[in-house]
Amino acid sequence: MVPGPPKGTGRPTIGSPPLIAGRGPRHRWQPPITSPYSGAMRTGEPLPAVGDVLAALATGLWHWDTATGQVTVDAEAARLLGLPAEPTTLTEVQARARMHAVDWNEITGVIQLAVAEGTLAEVRIRIMDEQNRVVRVVRSRSNPSYDAERRAFVLIGTLQEVTEPSPGTPAGRSAITGDWRRSREAFLLDAGRALAEARSTEEVLRVAAGLSMPGFSPDGLAVFGVEGDRLKIIGHHGQQPGDEGPFSHMALETDYPAAEVVRTGRAVYLSTPEQYRSRYPVTWPLAANFGRQSWAFLPLTVAGRTMGAWMAAFAYPVAFTPDERSVLTTVARMLAQALSRAEAAESARELTDGLQRSMLPKLGPEIPGMSVAARYVPTGGGLQVGGDWYDMIPLPGGGRFALVIGDVQGHDVHAAGLMGQLRIALRAYASEGHRPDAVLSRASRFLHGMTYDSDDPADQRFATCLYVEVDPATGRLDIARAGHPDPAIRMADGTVLVRRTDGGLPLGIDPDADYPTTRLTLEPGETMMVCTDGLIETGGHDLETGWQRVRTILEEHKGDLEELADALVQAVHGPSSHHTTGPLADRREDDIAVLLLCREGEGCGCGDTVVTTPRIRRTMLSVAQAEPERVAVARQHLKELLHDWPSQDQVDSAVLLLSEMLTNVLVHTDADALLLAEVRGEQGSRRMHVKVTDTSDDLPHVRRPGELASSGRGLVLIELLADTWGVDPQGEGKSIWFELYESTAADASE
């Protein structure tokens, strides 16, 4: 029985709680605390030094300044750290070497949290010896602060040994049963999340090595797999490189715990070296070299099949209570599932990588006067295969070749299979010598017969495609397009134009579809880019905003053609190569295929020379009588050609005059119109020359139309707005032209 307070005193004794006015003690009375110094305190003698009091209570002091990287301890703290009992100063590395690595990391986190919340920092620290064994557990209490001027934490606190039993013993865990169970649940949640996020065998092993189980963390781990009738070590942690040698390729019939686990599917727990030696005397000498005290070998089982074993070895004795076995069993199951997923994912990546590489061609031999570069990146998710492809096909006679790029609807194995068959068909039609329009017409009929004859709507697919026949000697490009994005031309000075081309329906929709051919000329120093829409429409972009992003890359790039191909892919999806898989690919929304064709010359990027001031910039376009909508395309071409012209008024005037000239040809003649627009000269003194040619012999005349006249103003406008203009008869037909000077705009601004 605890005695009550002395009768009749009415005053609290040492150790009793404070009084509330008008009342007795606020809480139940407690007996006074006695100490070796209580007599001195009663007689009024000076109080002893704080250090003496703490030493009497087996409590040490330590001071840590992160700015200097030094840890100062008194004699008692030094003793608790396993050092001689005398004051000393340690470096952070020396102090960290005396503590468990996990606990040292926890200290830094607790300190930061305590400073942020303005509270005391309390943490338990396991003190380790030279053999990396836990010799004691101490509790640290401190009031840390942050020095903003030095950007450093300063900690002054106490170290006191925890009197409860050591971790790993039943008594120790029975004393903290509630904490143990809460820690176990938190640990399993964290471990499950980390293993679920691991994408490869290497990542799974790294997560397993970092697991710190509550109260009984192993210091050695190994994961065994099965290869035929032998064990193989998939990975290990806590041992030196080469230590796994005796255990590699061990026969399953060997008297070894991991082999028995694989054979029987049942776990093996060995709490002491004596148990290990008595049960497995043949292989005990191999395990004895590591100096461990307890071992757990658990089966890695997936869908009822034991795929390997997991070893957890401990530097101190572990009794393997039901709670501990439950934790180990749960971790083994999660580890088996993670390894199984990683193995399946790696097999799928290897399969699809080989499949895509086999379907994608190697670019042909070097082409005199031209260079070609290509990239393909699959979409993320699933098997990472899709329907995008590119090809380079040698054509019969004259050194010509064809470039093909396309996209089969879908991102699955069926799309990849159709892509492979369509690519072969296109190669066959091209090798027979057919023109671009005939190649696409035959390919469309081929794809329609393969897909739309099926009763299953899922099999009915279409494909977009762009086919370019190239003559390296002249730079002539004959282009047929089936629902695919138009090509872009990067001129020698970096100006980028989208070349509008005639096109038809995507392949496979209409077996009788026509695909008109558009002829362009790739001038020396120019580069053509063709791509699938995955390069443009990603990250929430549509065709317009996505194209602006790609256009900026084309205009600003100064490297060679291969570097330009990498820059296009990297700017959209990050670092890539000719073929990319893994976590990077998983972030992609669509497949990407890119083809670049460069006609060698200054500014092309095929060499090291880049022209910064153009000598000539040119665009050419035909407008047929039956295609009046191409007048708008011609206006857009001229705007892009004049993208850096300083006077917007002159650009607007040029676009207006061009529209008048083309419209006059379509309205007043039966001929088609051919536009040729050029920009010549150096920056600041350039000349814009725009010419429209037709085959009609009727020459235009300047006349003054009446107020209500519906025509007759075209030449009047040219005379008013152009710096100079003219009409030139030709052998067949005529051409009307005008010029605007950049220097005129500069003079007007002055």
Side-chain angles (χ1 to χ4, degrees), residues 437-451:
D437 55 343
V439 170
L440 290 192
S441 295
R442 285 167 167 77
S444 182
R445 191 174 299 113
F446 169 81
L447 185 59
H448 185 276
M450 289 184 59
T451 60

Side-chain angles (χ1 to χ4, degrees), residues 203-223:
E203 291 181 18
V204 172
L205 295 175
R206 186 163 56 247
V207 171
L211 295 179
S212 179
M213 301 182 192
F216 67 119
S217 293
D219 73 330
L221 302 170
V223 177

Side-chain angles (χ1 to χ4, degrees), residues 684-736:
S685 60
R686 293 177 294 179
R687 181 180 63 182
M688 176 203 317
H689 180 87
V690 180
K691 179 170 67 174
V692 174
T693 303
D694 64 80
T695 57
S696 173
D697 294 328
D698 297 331
L699 298 179
H701 300 282
V702 178
R703 59 190 178 92
R704 303 298 173 183
E707 184 177 347
L708 300 178
S710 60
S711 63
R713 294 182 175 83
L715 293 184
V716 175
L717 287 173
I718 295 177
E719 190 175 52
L720 288 173
L721 299 177
D723 288 323
T724 182
W725 67 281
V727 178
D728 296 334
Q730 297 179 347
E732 181 180 356
K734 64 182 181 299
S735 64
I736 180 171

Side-chain angles (χ1 to χ4, degrees), residues 144-155:
S145 61
Y146 180 73
D147 188 335
E149 183 176 348
R150 297 190 305 156
R151 296 183 178 182
F153 289 95
V154 178
L155 178 147

Side-chain angles (χ1 to χ4, degrees), residues 116-191:
E117 296 181 347
T119 59
L120 291 176
E122 180 172 347
V123 63
R124 295 192 180 194
I125 307 170
R126 286 167 287 183
I127 307 302
M128 316 298 288
D129 61 10
E130 289 75 13
Q131 285 74 40
N132 203 32
R133 293 176 299 188
V134 178
V135 294
R136 66 174 54 88
V137 177
V138 300
R139 179 189 294 110
S140 170
R141 287 192 178 98
S142 61
N143 186 14
S145 61
Y146 180 73
D147 188 335
E149 183 176 348
R150 297 190 305 156
R151 296 183 178 182
F153 289 95
V154 178
L155 178 147
I156 301 176
T158 63
L159 292 178
Q160 188 175 35
E161 186 169 3
V162 178
T163 58
E164 60 197 44
S166 301
T169 65
R173 279 182 298 280
S174 64
I176 52 171
T177 301
D179 290 341
W180 151 255
R181 296 190 184 279
R182 286 191 294 271
S183 299
R184 180 187 66 180
E185 292 171 0
F187 161 74
L188 291 177
L189 286 174
D190 291 341

Side-chain angles (χ1 to χ4, degrees), residues 81-83 94-100 126-130:
L81 292 175
L83 299 171
Q94 292 172 327
R96 186 167 60 243
R98 312 302 302 181
M99 304 178 187
H100 196 285
R126 286 167 287 183
I127 307 302
M128 316 298 288
D129 61 10
E130 289 75 13

